[in-house]
Amino acid sequence: MKIKKNNKSLLKSPKGSPRKKKNSNDVNLNKDVKQKGISKKKNKIRKNFKNKKTTNNEVTLHQTEKTQNKINESQVHNNINKNKIRELLKQKKKETSNPINNSETLRERIISQLRASRFRFLNDTLYNNDSSESRKMFKEDPSAFKAYHEGYQYQVEQWSLNPLDVIINAVKKMPKEYVIADFGCGEGRLADSVKQKVHSIDLVAVNDKIIACDMAHTPLLTNGINAVVFCLSLMGTNLVDYILEANRVLKMDGTLKIAEISSRFDDVNEFINLLMSYGFKNTWTDIDHKYFYFMDFKKVKNVDAKCKKLPAISLKPCVYKKR
Ligand code: SAH
């Protein structure tokens, strides 16, 4: 019987279909009609709760979307940065592989090689010709002198020592009232660096302090100079003419200072001895340096071209290597 009753109660289920009893509260709700309102309210609350849940879910979803958006934004940002870097790299690649830029460096290289070969040509001319020929060459093409000196300055920069600095230091120690003649002065830096009066002489005058002439025949007065300087300037096949001119312009006991590239000498002692025939006694030498020789002489005798049995003096031309 108990079983039947239980069955009846089961048949009286509000939805008319058997359902599993979830908990005792549900059974009580169905039995008590008064309780139905409460049940409705409860259902309403449940519904509201469900709705609230939905809204909460929506809020969470909204927040998730926001976070997602932020992540997306930063990813976009990252992508932009990456793309930017990629673009820059591409551009750099283009630049280096760009034939215009390549031709620019090629052009520069060709120009610098042409300049270097022009310098070597001018240098050869100066060493292997009589100075009258070199003077003619620079007169016909004044730009050649500038080109020569640009090339020369490039060479000087490669050296650990500029012989002109050694000469400048020595002249600085000479009495202030001394008169100096700088034979083959180039750009005239000696005159700009010392207190003494300096006559700067070169084949071409790059400024108005320089006398443009061949140092084989200068306009300087005889026996008026205290020191004559040849700093890497004994160029030309007629270098004895320069030595004779130095003898003419120098006072007796005056100083002759020579700085030359060591490789130009077959035998430096022979060169020193030969100078004695030209009225110059050797007073000091510095021939320990690898690339340059320095030597001082004192004028002990007046010697000119009319003097008999003057020996020939020659130095090898200085050849600069290809750049
Ligand atoms: N003494 C300078 C320049 C050395 S380059 C220095 O040490 O910086 C050699 C210079 O000698 C060149 O300027 C060249 O024009 C000059 N020179 C060569 N033969 C010359 C000559 N016969 N008369 C005048 N200058 C000469």
Side-chain angles (χ1 to χ4, degrees):
M1 285 293 282
K2 265 187 184 176
I3 293 166
K4 267 187 184 176
K5 263 189 185 175
N6 279 345
N7 277 348
K8 261 188 182 177
S9 81
L10 278 172
L11 286 168
K12 273 178 189 172
S13 142
K15 283 182 181 171
S17 57
R19 63 179 174 97
K20 270 186 184 173
K21 189 172 114 181
K22 276 191 176 171
N23 56 45
S24 58
N25 277 349
D26 282 352
V27 177
N28 289 337
L29 277 171
N30 289 334
K31 274 184 181 172
D32 195 344
V33 184
K34 276 183 189 174
Q35 294 261 328
K36 269 186 181 173
I38 297 165
S39 165
K40 265 186 187 173
K41 269 184 190 172
K42 273 198 172 180
N43 280 341
K44 217 178 179 181
I45 289 165
R46 262 191 212 121
K47 255 188 184 177
N48 279 346
F49 177 75
K50 262 190 184 176
N51 284 346
K52 222 178 173 186
K53 237 186 167 179
T54 326
T55 345
N56 275 345
N57 279 347
E58 271 170 8
V59 170
T60 326
L61 186 74
H62 209 70
Q63 276 174 347
T64 321
E65 268 175 15
K66 263 190 177 175
T67 324
Q68 189 59 45
N69 281 348
K70 267 189 184 170
I71 292 167
N72 287 346
E73 257 176 44
S74 76
Q75 269 176 353
V76 170
H77 213 76
N78 275 347
N79 283 344
I80 288 174
N81 281 344
K82 273 184 197 164
N83 287 341
K84 238 184 185 176
I85 291 166
R86 259 184 223 126
E87 251 174 54
L88 285 171
L89 283 172
K90 261 189 198 171
Q91 208 178 311
K92 190 89 203 143
K93 233 183 177 180
K94 259 189 199 172
E95 272 173 21
T96 43
S97 60
N98 190 339
I100 295 169
N101 287 317
N102 272 349
S103 70
E104 200 57 43
T105 47
L106 184 69
R107 195 171 157 265
E108 277 167 20
R109 226 182 307 142
I110 289 170
I111 288 173
S112 125
Q113 277 171 1
L114 284 174
R115 279 202 190 117
S117 64
R118 191 179 185 200
F119 167 72
R120 284 197 304 275
F121 168 77
L122 294 169
N123 193 58
D124 269 16
T125 310
L126 283 163
Y127 277 118
N128 295 308
N129 288 282
D130 188 283
S131 57
S132 57
E133 285 299 314
S134 306
R135 177 129 171 86
K136 224 166 90 186
M137 172 185 75
F138 284 138
K139 259 195 173 172
E140 281 166 9
D141 180 7
S143 77
F145 191 78
K146 194 173 170 262
Y148 175 76
H149 271 278
E150 276 172 8
Y152 179 75
Q153 284 312 318
Y154 174 83
Q155 294 301 327
V156 170
E157 281 159 25
Q158 317 303 308
W159 300 334
S160 57
L161 170 92
N162 182 350
L164 185 60
D165 291 327
V166 177
I167 300 275
I168 288 170
N169 285 336
V171 173
K172 276 181 177 170
K173 285 175 194 152
M174 290 178 176
K176 302 277 172 289
E177 62 279 7
Y178 262 31
V179 180
I180 317 292
D182 185 5
F183 278 15
C185 66
E187 289 162 6
R189 190 159 69 87
L190 173 60
D192 294 337
S193 314
V194 297
K195 289 204 173 119
Q196 292 89 346
K197 163 84 190 150
V198 178
H199 296 283
S200 302
I201 285 163
D202 209 293
L203 290 169
V204 175
V206 291
N207 61 54
D208 52 17
K209 289 187 246 167
I210 295 170
I211 305 164
C213 71
D214 181 347
M215 61 192 179
H217 313 283
T218 72
L220 300 180
L221 295 176
T222 304
N223 302 332
I225 302 293
N226 296 101
V228 168
V229 169
F230 289 107
C231 184
L232 310 197
S233 57
L234 289 175
M235 307 171 104
T237 50
N238 56 323
L239 69 89
V240 292
D241 293 343
Y242 314 148
I243 306 289
L244 286 172
E245 182 64 357
N247 185 290
R248 182 188 72 80
V249 301
L250 269 176
K251 290 179 177 183
M252 196 59 77
D253 292 337
T255 305
L256 171 65
K257 288 188 82 64
I258 296 176
E260 260 309 334
I261 295 164
S262 56
S263 60
R264 295 195 66 199
F265 297 85
D266 270 333
D267 182 345
V268 68
N269 290 317
E270 192 197 340
F271 176 85
I272 289 167
N273 288 336
L274 286 174
L275 277 198
M276 194 61 204
S277 313
Y278 288 80
F280 292 109
K281 186 178 179 238
N282 180 235
T283 54
W284 173 82
T285 50
D286 178 1
I287 51 174
D288 293 331
H289 196 277
K290 195 174 170 193
Y291 299 109
F292 306 106
Y293 286 162
F294 300 91
M295 50 198 95
D296 285 0
F297 301 86
K298 187 165 88 170
K299 176 178 163 179
V300 290
K301 195 179 161 195
N302 280 319
V303 175
D304 61 26
K306 285 176 219 148
C307 292
K308 285 175 189 160
K309 289 183 186 164
L310 283 178
I313 303 180
S314 66
L315 291 174
K316 288 190 282 183
C318 168
V319 182
Y320 291 102
K321 279 182 201 154
K322 274 191 178 184
R323 269 184 228 172

